[in-house]
Amino acid sequence: MTIIKVDNLQKSFGENEVLKSINLEVNKGEVICIIGPSGSGKSTFLRCLNGLESVNGGHIKIDENDLTDHSTRIDIIRQNIGMVFQQFNLFPHLTVAENITLAPVELKKMSKSEAYQRALDLLEMVGLEEKIDDYPDSLSGGQQQRVAIARALAMNPEVMLFDEPTSALDPEMVGEVLGVMKKLVDEGMTMVIVTHEMGFARQVADRVIFMDDGYIVEENVPDKLFDEPNEIRTQTFLDKVL
Ligand code: ADP
Ligand code: MG
């Protein structure tokens, strides 16, 4: 079953054509890792998938709802898509519990007590139940990112998007965040992950996508893409990062 269908997606910032023609289908339960050089349009692509950017051409369908159609209620679709950013983006003036329960309660998806119970369950899953009443700035980067993942899961999204979730972390904290993401993979979550963690991508991805200069240059199962890429541009990139 297809959850995301992207068709000839184009996105420019002024004269800068950032996404030139992106085509991609993501099926339920699939884990897609996106790799590629800085500036190739990876973050812009993820933001388009979540309706955070207006687009200049093409179509993005999430469960048959076309985000590029003006009558589509993007705010409703977005409730079904969790997003985790490089810079955790937790609300600093709210406790961990308040960060996690804010959206489900405000959007009337859950009562306060249901949302609190869900927050407890999610914090247990990410290994931080004892931090429930703490404020973000008392947590390490790895802990904050695990809370951000819990917050994104609080709305029970169908898809999770990750934009370099470990790039801002000290090296010793990368593993704990990847560990939580691995749990989601094992639970069958549909995930699109922009990452520089090539070992992780090789381990969890059903397909790896190499983006360069606004195009998907190549996509394949991890072992093929990493060990026997078809395109010189892919090999050149891998030679630099592996
Ligand atoms: P990546 O995530 O692969 O590093 P980005 O999607 O962040 O790439 O950026 C791709 C290009 O789009 C870059 O040239 C960047 O400067 C440009 N860009 C991204 N966001 C904006 C924006 N909000 N306004 C103008 N240009 C942007
Ligand atoms: Mg980026």
Side-chain angles (χ1 to χ4, degrees), residues 97-164:
E98 289 163 347
N99 265 280
I100 298 173
T101 58
L102 183 70
V105 171
E106 288 284 311
L107 297 167
K108 310 234 185 304
K109 279 251 179 167
M110 294 174 205
S111 69
K112 271 196 169 166
S113 66
E114 281 170 337
Y116 192 84
Q117 185 55 52
R118 175 89 178 124
L120 265 178
D121 292 345
L122 288 167
L123 286 170
E124 195 184 331
M125 196 273 286
V126 303
L128 291 172
E129 58 277 39
E130 78 281 10
K131 302 291 186 189
I132 190 157
D133 293 320
D134 292 5
Y135 284 87
D137 66 5
S138 70
L139 306 180
S140 71
Q143 290 171 335
Q144 288 188 55
Q145 191 61 302
R146 285 186 281 153
V147 172
I149 294 172
R151 181 178 63 175
L153 290 167
M155 294 285 287
N156 295 315
E158 190 179 16
V159 182
M160 286 284 285
L161 309 177
F162 293 85
D163 191 0
E164 296 192 33

Side-chain angles (χ1 to χ4, degrees), residues 6-235:
V6 179
D7 198 10
N8 191 23
L9 174 64
Q10 295 156 43
K11 170 69 186 172
S12 300
F13 292 105
E15 298 287 286
N16 186 8
E17 287 181 54
V18 174
L19 303 178
K20 291 172 181 164
S21 175
I22 300 283
N23 298 282
L24 177 69
E25 280 190 36
V26 182
N27 296 317
K28 191 167 177 56
E30 248 191 322
V31 177
I32 306 285
C33 286
I34 302 179
I35 63 172
S38 178
S40 57
K42 305 180 299 296
S43 295
T44 302
F45 178 45
L46 274 199
R47 291 170 56 78
C48 288
L49 288 183
N50 201 10
L52 292 170
E53 298 285 355
S54 62
V55 309
N56 298 90
H59 295 277
I60 302 170
K61 282 190 182 166
I62 310 283
D63 289 330
E64 296 302 313
N65 302 293
D66 193 336
L67 291 186
T68 62
D69 185 336
H70 290 295
S71 64
T72 300
R73 287 282 306 274
I74 289 180
D75 54 332
I76 307 272
I77 314 281
R78 197 181 288 143
Q79 293 177 17
N80 208 16
I81 306 174
M83 183 140 177
V84 175
F85 301 89
Q86 186 174 338
Q87 305 289 347
F88 337 123
N89 295 350
L90 295 173
F91 301 112
H93 59 293
L94 299 181
T95 65
V96 165
E98 289 163 347
N99 265 280
I100 298 173
T101 58
L102 183 70
V105 171
E106 288 284 311
L107 297 167
K108 310 234 185 304
K109 279 251 179 167
M110 294 174 205
S111 69
K112 271 196 169 166
S113 66
E114 281 170 337
Y116 192 84
Q117 185 55 52
R118 175 89 178 124
L120 265 178
D121 292 345
L122 288 167
L123 286 170
E124 195 184 331
M125 196 273 286
V126 303
L128 291 172
E129 58 277 39
E130 78 281 10
K131 302 291 186 189
I132 190 157
D133 293 320
D134 292 5
Y135 284 87
D137 66 5
S138 70
L139 306 180
S140 71
Q143 290 171 335
Q144 288 188 55
Q145 191 61 302
R146 285 186 281 153
V147 172
I149 294 172
R151 181 178 63 175
L153 290 167
M155 294 285 287
N156 295 315
E158 190 179 16
V159 182
M160 286 284 285
L161 309 177
F162 293 85
D163 191 0
E164 296 192 33
T166 61
S167 293
L169 299 176
D170 291 333
E172 72 270 24
M173 293 170 190
V174 169
E176 67 198 55
V177 171
L178 295 181
V180 167
M181 292 168 69
K182 180 85 187 357
K183 276 193 192 180
L184 293 179
V185 172
D186 293 342
E187 287 174 9
M189 178 62 81
T190 308
M191 297 162 77
V192 181
I193 306 165
V194 174
T195 187
H196 292 299
E197 295 290 332
M198 300 300 157
F200 177 75
R202 192 192 276 269
Q203 192 188 1
V204 304
D206 294 301
R207 271 185 290 155
V208 179
I209 285 178
F210 173 63
M211 267 183 77
D212 193 14
D213 195 28
Y215 292 102
I216 291 177
V217 173
E218 176 165 5
E219 63 174 281
N220 216 328
V221 295
D223 287 349
K224 283 269 185 228
L225 190 122
F226 287 120
D227 298 334
E228 304 166 49
N230 291 319
E231 301 292 331
I232 289 171
R233 274 198 281 174
T234 314
Q235 186 65 60

